[in-house]
Structure formats: C-alpha cells, structure tokens
Amino acid sequence: MIFGAITFLYPALLAGLLLLPVLWLIIRSAPRRPRRIHFPAARLLIGATNNRRNAERSPLWQTILRSLILLALILAAAHPVLNKTDYAPENGAMLVMVDNSWSSAANWPQYRQGMKQIVNQARLNNQSVFIGITAPEAAGANSTDLPPLQGPLSPHDAQNAFDRLQPHPWAPAYPLLATQIAGRQDITNAIASAILLTNDIDEPGKASLAEDLSTVSPLIVVHPAANPDNGTLAITALTRNRNGMAVTLGHTQQADSRQTTLVARNDRGQIILRHPVTIAAQTAHTDIEVPLPGDIANAIQTVGLINVESAAALFQTGAKWQQRKVGIVVSSGEGPVLLSDRYFFLDRAISPYANVTYGTLASLLADSPDVLVATGNIAGLGSQQGALTRWIDNGGMLVRFAGDATSSPDDRFLPVTLRLGNRDFGGSMSWERPKHLARFEGNSPFFGLSVPEEITVTRQLLAEPDRDIVEKTWSRLTDGTPLITSIPQNAGRIVLFHVTPWADWSNLPMSGLFVQIWQRLLPLASPDEQSSSQIRTLLPPQSILDAFGRAHQPDPTVLALQSDRDMPTPRHPPGIYGQNGQAVAHNLGPHIGGLDNPVRWPDQVQIKTLADDTQVDLATICVFAAFCLFLIDTLIVILTSATSRFQGHRRGRKITRAQAQAQADKNRAMAPSPQTKSSSTKTLTLLVLVLAGAALTTGLGNIGQAHAQETTPLQDFQAALHPRLAYMHTGVAAIDRLSHAGLSGLTDILRKRTAADLASPVMVNPQNDDLSFYPLIYWPLAEGQTELSAYGREQLNRYLANGGMVLIDSRDREVEPARLRRLLEGIEIPTLARAPRDHIVFRSFYLLDQAYGRFDAALWVDARPDPRLDGVSSVLFGGNDWAASWVSTRLELEQYGTATSNPIDDISPRQHELALRFGVNLVIYALTGSYKGDQVHLPAILERLGR
C-alpha cells in the first residue's frame, strides 16, 4: 500500500486503526483513580462538607495522548517506508543471485540490507523468489561445487535463507552458476526479473553470466555503496627486508586519496604495530616500507588493515617469518660443541632468534635449514658439494667464518677471492696496533647500527681486490679492508666474516654489535624452495580463516595442503597448515588480481546502488514517537498525582484550622452563665471524688498498667520487623552506654561470622516496653540502679515464662547473694546450677569450655529447664562483665572504664576474641535453642574435638 512517497510493507496491520474509537470510549468511560484522604479520627469530620465530584470521565488530554500512542504503534507495525526503492518489476517471480565470495565480506552488512529490501519488495508484491549464490562449497569426498538453486520460495522462507547466508574467503564461480541456471528451465520460464548483488570487480565468467541472463529477463545489478574511506582493499604481498618489512596493497581506483592503518599482531592477538598508510588517488597498488627492529618483526603473526573485516586484508606470516632454522657445521669427531669456546659467542648471538642445530654437513642439509654456518674449511664438503650448491641455489644462506690461524678457508663457496695467509701482527702485512670498525655504508644491511669504539680487530682474512669488491663489502675496517663480504648465488646468498667467531682474532663476537648484526642478517635468509619430495608432503590444517578474517578450528571438509601457490578453495581455505612446529601460511591476498579492472556490463543491464540515502524507514521513527508520548503521559500523571496530594494537604490544614475556630466559637457560645457556674463546679467536684475513690480501690497495680500505656510504638514496630539484642535500663548512664557499646560490637561480629543479621541493639525498660520482641536481654547489675516496679517485675516474669532469655551480669567476678536478692526481688528466678562443660551454649557455634568474658568466672544456668521451653535456660547468670569484653575498640573500652565502679583491666586480644566467641554462642543459643543438642550433630562435634 502506497500513500504518496510512503509505502507500508505490512498494510494489513493498518486494520488496527479500527481499535482507536474503541480505545477512546474505554478511556473516556473509565473512572479516575480515587483520591485517598487520611484522617486520624472521626471527630475531624465535624463540619466537613460533601465535595464529591463526578468521576465518570477521564481528562480529554489523557484520552487524546493515549490514542496517539496506539496510533504510532499501529503505524510502526505496518512498517512505513519513505521513498521506497524497487529493484525489480512488481509482477512475476524474481531470481536473486548473491555474490558471497571474498569480495563481499568487507561490505556484508550492506549486502544484508539489500537482501532485506528485496524480500520486502517481494512480500509487498506477493512475488516468489529463487536464490542462487556464487561461492562454491565442499561437495563429496574431495571436490567442490555450487549449492543448488533454491526456489520457488515465499518471501518469509527467502528471508530465512538469506539470514543463513555467509560469505566465503575464496573466488566466485560464475561459470558454474550460469550452468546451473541454464539447467533449470523452470526458473527461466517463471522469472520476470533477475537481480545480481555484487561489486564492480571483474571476475571470470561474470560478464558472460550477465550477457546470458539479459536474454532471458531484465537483469538488475545492485552494487554496494562505494566506501570513500577504503573501498576494496587486499594485502597482496608481505616480505621481510633488511630494514623491516615491505607491504603491497591492492585496491580499487578512486578519485580521491584515502587513509587507512596497517596493524600487526602477535601470537596473542595483541596489536604491536600501527602504521598509517596513505593511498594515492587513481592508483591500483600501494607499496609500503615499514622499518622494524628484528625482535618486533619476529613477533608478528598477522598483518591486517584496521576496520576492514576481510580475509583478503589479513596476511598471516607463518613459522618461517618469526624464526629461521640455522645449522652450524661441525666435524663428526668434535665433542660437545656447546662446551667449546669456539661456538659459545655464536650460539649466544643466534639462539634467541633462531632454531640452532649442530651437526655434520650431510645431516644438516637433509634437514633443509634456512642458514648454514661454517668456520674455516667446511667439514665433509667433498661428498656434499653438489647438495650444498643446490641448497644455496634454492634460497639457502651460507655464512662462513675464518678458522684456525694455520689454515684458511678453501676457495669454494666464498664471496671473494682470498689472499694466502692472514693479516696479523707477526706477518709482513701487520700493523702496529689493532684496527677499529668503520661506519656501515648505505649498501649494507647493517646500515644505521652504531659501532662501539672498543671493538678491535687484530687478525683478518684479506680479500683480493677486484672491480666489484665495493658492492660485495657489507662491513670494513677503518683502513678500508673488508671485514664482512657477501654475494648472491641464484636464489641464495654466501656471506663471509673475515674473522673467527671466537675472540682470538677480534672482540667483535663478545660485543652487542655481533648480536645486532645477526638480527639484521637472519631476516635476509629467503625460505628455501620446496623440493619435489616436500611438495608431496601433506600439511594438515591447524586454523583457518573465514571471510571476515577471523580464525577458527577447521571443519572436517578442509583437507591437507600440498602447496600454498594456488587460490584458496573450500577444501583449502586461507589459514595455517602444517604440524610438528611447521606452520605454512596460506593467504588469500597474493592470489587476488584485477582490482583495477572493472567489469564491462552489457548495455541492457541496469546498474543500481544498494544504499539509497533518500529511503527512510519510518517504523523506527513511529516507535520512538510512541515512546516519547508514553514518557509525556507518565510524567503528567506523576505531576498531577503529586499536585493533588499537595493540594489535599493544604486543604486539610485549612479545614482543620476552620474546624478549630468553629469549635472555639461554639464553646464560647455555650459558656455557662454566672448563675449556673456554681452548680457546674459542684458537679465537677463530685465527679473527681468518685474517680479518686475508684482509683484507691483498684490499688497501685493499676498505676503500673497506666505506665504500660506509655510505650514507644515505633521502637516496638522496628523490633518486630528486624530482630535485635536488648539491654536492661539501669538508670546509671555509664553502665547503659557500656552495655550499648558491647552489644553493638557483638552485633557486628554476628553479621561478619554468622547468618544472624541483627539490627542495632536498644535499651528496654520492662515498665514501658514490650519485651516479647527481643530474643536475648542483657541485664548488668549496678549499685544505684532503678528498681523495678510491680508492673515491671510482672512483665519480666511473663517474658521469661514465654521463652525469653536474660543474661544477668553482676560484673564483679564474685556473686554477692544479698545484693542479688535485693536487686532481683519479685522476679521468679529458677534454681541455678553451674553450667557443665558440655552445655549446649558452649557448642552452639564455637567449641568452648567456659563462658569467657572480662573474667573467667563460672556461668550459672537453670538447674531444671522447663521441658515446655525445649529444655532451654531462660536465665543465665555470671559475673564476667561481658559488655566490657565485647567492646570493639580499645578507645571505647578506656572511655567506659573510667566511668564504671570496677576499673576495666587491660583485656588481651586473646581474651577479647574468646569473649566474642562466647557472645556468638550465646546469641545462637538464644535463637536456635537446643538445636545443637540433637544427636545428629554429635559425629561432627567429635571430629572437630579430635582435630
């Protein structure tokens, strides 16, 4: 359904607009939320008027606003689109071909957007869809083929098929797709249009497919939008050089220059290099030189382009990039070479950066090293001369050093011709003092390295001068004589150090410069060309890349690799192949060409761009509008409710003042006359006498009941919601503060060590407070404390009889019976006995042997606990001054100690910890009762006692 420039993809959902009148009637007929009025007593209603309002209708603004919310949601469900783009005619089936090869990965979100728009068009026009793809997949045991064409499909099934579609990191197979379409006569007869989602890069068979389809039905080629930031990019080459690495980028030509960033990662995926790159306009290739230290270059595992998710823009280095295989030639008769000073400095310089192996020439050549190192005459060269020649021609590097003073290297496999004899102090060609190294020239791979002054040479091999001696020299002495020479030989190279690798002729092997020279020398060793026997060796896949350049484990369809010279296929996707430490990188970029050759489409083909800036999805705007309207409605309701409560509060205050004024006027109007005043006074006097007589007859107990009405309901309410400990009000301020501090410290310990989450302790008075909310009450005895009234004693006895627990603390270590009887007179204290060591209170949480506190006096408990209370003691008595031992900090302890009658001694940390453990046991005992007395806990307790 189309209204002007707006198209509804799901026009049937517009039928929901019929619900708007129904919603209007429902909202208008619904009553408002009733207003709540809180009043404390009925007498405040005196003089109140009936202000009832008609609540049959909701406000008009609310009805309109909520109707607009529903309207926006219905429009969003119908999915309106402004300036919708049609890619194909609106009648007949359509054939949609998607290029899901390597070139589509970088722009795959745009491809998905195009597939979604095509399906929406098919849904709107009720068209069936046929689907074909260009990237082949594995088929059979070891072959590849395109998946069969799908269709006819409904728009819903076509969308599901497109959602499952993924790009692949290999080349497309347009000839196979053309063969499939030609073999499906039903498709060519049914379709009214064909759509090809692809880019403008020329691929084999792409133009031929377009030519063939143009004769069957109209063909529309849809391109992704050109990305001005990068376009299509691929790393086509990556090599090591003497300064670092060289990178070659292949890309499509664009009118303007653009910027990108080259990134290198190590084996952990961490970025170790960022190098900005500028791609010039109207160019198809960009060469990049990146200077790098040897250690950073060795750590590189992958080189890619930032923000380009494509396997073509990711280059894996493989094992030979990071480390070379170096073989040091020794004779078969030499002993342990690592213990010899002849190879000590050489091994220390090479081994951190290469895999060093010692052996005879024959064994090393069989292992195909990248570099061979020999000193003096090459041992075993007679029978291996041909093999060594072939190894160098195939890319090997031979590095030679001078040998013993009595022998010079033979003239085979040397970069220069040597003179007979050596140059030293004792010969005719000796100099007076050792010579130093000269600065490295620009043609040397060691250019840029600083030469320390302390490096000297006392003996060297002299080279015969010839016309190209300058090009062959990589390092020379200050007098111009060569120190390091080199010459290429086919794909390989021969290097000669004119000194020994030990410190007899020079201290160069002992210096850090020797290590830096090898760091520059090893990357120059080209990987050896694989011989025919190695080509037949299969390299199993270790990890492969998907089209977005993400590494993952290979699936069973991936086969072992024989050569990385071919284009990646479904059987050999790009990745790392090889085992036993060998890692061969099979990259996609080196096999990509033709980025600068756009395809030539037939004249009858229509070309469209995938992304159209004029097309606007209005569904998102409708959802956002509905959300904003909902927020406005909610905000208005909240403000209206708050305003109503504020106005009701002010109105109530006005009514209260008016009622008070009216009552005062009424009292003044009803005031007795002087004649009746005497009669009223007599009546009042008689009433007072009667009430006084009733009070005398009820006794003093009623006075206590009157005190009971003076409770603190807020404190009782909080105690009922959250359990807490309590302490008895003594009337002595210092003792009360000490009790509060001690129970607070015990409460904190309970929160940290147990599941008992108690609130802060409170002070209780049996004459005013309800004691039933407190599981344990701490009662310190003190001289001068307030005695309990009859009502208070009755309240305390009722608390003990109903399961309450009281810890009575005399705080003086010794029990004074006379003072105890006087202070506890009227309280039904049961018969007390010393608590045995196996009492439940000593093992309710910790395993203790006594009631530790400030002192170590005995604990007295019920001798015969009431079975009705599950055998739990309701009264515990002692004199260990527990509150003082539970105080958290020494500062609090010293503060309270100066105000008590008994000075507080220095409580040791051990005593403080034991007292806290007894406090924890006591509270757990008060909360759980005789739970730990059950026999089921006996094995665990015995096990703990045994430990």
Side-chain angles (χ1 to χ4, degrees), residues 804-845:
M805 182 179 294
V806 176
L807 174 63
I808 303 174
D809 189 0
S810 65
R811 303 175 51 254
D812 56 358
R813 190 182 311 188
E814 299 294 337
V815 179
E816 297 180 7
R819 183 163 64 94
L820 181 62
R821 285 193 299 270
R822 177 173 54 80
L823 292 175
L824 302 181
E825 184 179 3
I827 300 177
E828 298 176 1
I829 300 296
T831 304
L832 301 179
R834 288 179 179 269
R837 300 186 65 176
D838 60 344
H839 195 272
I840 301 176
V841 73
F842 295 140
R843 51 191 173 97
S844 59
F845 194 86

Side-chain angles (χ1 to χ4, degrees), residues 787-810:
E787 295 184 2
L788 297 178
S789 64
Y791 177 74
R793 289 192 293 271
E794 180 183 353
Q795 288 286 90
L796 187 56
N797 289 332
R798 185 181 300 111
Y799 169 74
L800 295 175
N802 291 330
M805 182 179 294
V806 176
L807 174 63
I808 303 174
D809 189 0
S810 65

